[in-house]
Amino acid sequence: MVSEYTSALERDIVKMRGQHEELLRAERKWSLRAMFSTPDWDIVDYCQGFRPNRFGAQACAEVERFCRAQQIWLEPGGEHYNSMTPYLHPGAISAERMTIIGLYNAILFWLNDTVGREKFGHLDDDEQRQARVAVDRLCSLLRTRPASGDANPVEASTSAFLAMLSALADPAWLDRFIEATIDHLRPAIRDQNARARGGLLSVTEYIDLRAQVSGMYPAIALCEFGRDDYLPWGRIRRAGLAGDLRRLRRLTVEIGALMNDVFSFEKECIVDLADFNLISAVLLNNPGWSLEDAVHGAGEIVRARLTEFRQVGAVTAEQCDRVGASDAALAATVSTHIADLVACVQATWAWQIKTLRYKGASIFTENGTG
């Protein structure tokens, strides 16, 4: 249930930002490593063997060249978001596939950093109208494929990306991927803050919406494209693997989205003055809580999903081994996808530790610049 937006809620948001300033002055910091780890499991150790895609440097250079030519390269953010692709898709089997995935990510980041949910509320009425028209045109383009004669740079870029993707992708997978992208764009290119929504989402409602806004569903679908190895869901259901595999995919999405919320809290809620974030959702849904309480509450939510991910992953892997006795090809495809989901979770930590995108004055040790 969405609660009504009130002046008390507005005061709590302002108070949250004031508490953040006080914590900075007091040099009060938390370790994200400690927040996400458990006594018997350490996130840094879990990610120790992770390596980005071997075609990463080549693909990133080609993506930058393409985006500059198409006038959708962002300064200074481009270098940061471009570097994410080799982390999120370490299993892509060729530089060509890695580059196509990178073009997709570049288009989405350009939209996010110009008219996305953090920026939308700062646009004037005409700019917001133009953004809504732009996403409608883009969603139409995704379904019909060819760009119109008056295509703007992002539409022309999307049309070129689709041509490259369509030439290599499985057709049935491509249709599902397009719909997942549209499902992401619709809520991502709008103001999702409590004032604009007219109310406060519960934490559960927030997590459900954040999963769509994050773009993680199409991101994990691109693991299949990167490998050129597509999940045969009919055979997966008949083998009894579908339930756990879908849960594992959902957990991958939520870990990617919610861990990012913690890393990007200051960028989104302090710099961009947004409140669509796990930490603020936890704070605002618990009257009387401090920002410190909310930080720990958000950490518990992420940590619980990391624990469940490992548990479900182990069960699914065991089931997959049993299936392998009668259908080795299916077991191999599912096992490869499970490995890609593990890599996505590892990348969520490894890239955000490395990137400068979230570095600055911070209450989190890993985000600090000192």
Side-chain angles (χ1 to χ4, degrees), residues 78-276:
E79 180 181 351
H80 303 317
Y81 67 64
N82 196 22
S83 71
M84 182 193 71
T85 299
Y87 279 79
L88 201 55
H89 296 93
I93 62 173
S94 70
E96 182 179 22
R97 288 177 183 270
M98 185 85 269
T99 300
I100 291 169
I101 295 171
L103 293 178
Y104 177 79
N105 290 335
I107 291 166
L108 292 191
F109 264 104
W110 185 89
L111 289 166
N112 177 76
D113 284 8
T114 55
V115 295
R117 57 187 172 82
E118 300 159 39
K119 306 296 184 182
F120 199 94
H122 300 294
L123 305 177
D124 62 33
D125 289 345
D126 187 56
E127 289 170 329
Q128 289 185 1
R129 181 192 60 78
Q130 291 177 32
R132 285 190 288 267
V133 170
V135 76
D136 286 343
R137 285 171 56 107
L138 204 56
C139 290
S140 177
L141 170 61
L142 286 165
R143 286 199 173 109
T144 60
R145 311 293 160 83
S148 63
D150 62 342
N152 60 34
V154 74
E155 290 169 353
S157 300
T158 301
S159 183
F161 156 75
L162 285 170
M164 290 183 255
L165 182 69
S166 301
L168 296 178
D170 173 79
W173 172 90
L174 181 60
D175 288 341
R176 293 193 298 270
F177 173 75
I178 293 299
E179 291 307 313
T181 298
I182 291 170
D183 288 344
H184 157 65
L185 286 174
R186 293 291 186 192
I189 312 303
R190 59 167 290 185
D191 189 347
Q192 293 288 5
N193 292 316
R195 177 186 286 275
R197 297 186 63 84
L200 174 66
L201 296 171
S202 70
V203 174
T204 299
E205 289 170 329
Y206 170 79
I207 292 171
D208 287 344
L209 180 56
R210 181 70 177 94
Q212 289 297 136
V213 168
S214 70
M216 282 297 295
Y217 282 115
I220 63 174
L222 282 167
C223 292
E224 299 173 65
F225 170 76
R227 294 274 192 184
D228 195 23
D229 189 9
Y230 304 93
L231 292 171
W233 282 104
R235 289 165 60 198
I236 289 170
R237 284 191 292 271
R238 289 190 292 274
L241 295 172
D244 284 336
L245 186 58
R246 289 191 187 280
R247 180 59 185 163
L248 201 61
R249 285 162 62 94
R250 171 70 184 198
L251 287 166
T252 304
V253 168
E254 291 187 357
I255 290 167
L258 301 179
M259 192 188 292
N260 174 257
D261 271 6
V262 181
F263 270 97
S264 64
F265 166 71
E266 286 146 326
K267 176 182 178 297
E268 294 176 0
C269 298
I270 306 303
V271 176
D272 285 335
L273 303 179
D275 57 61
F276 187 76

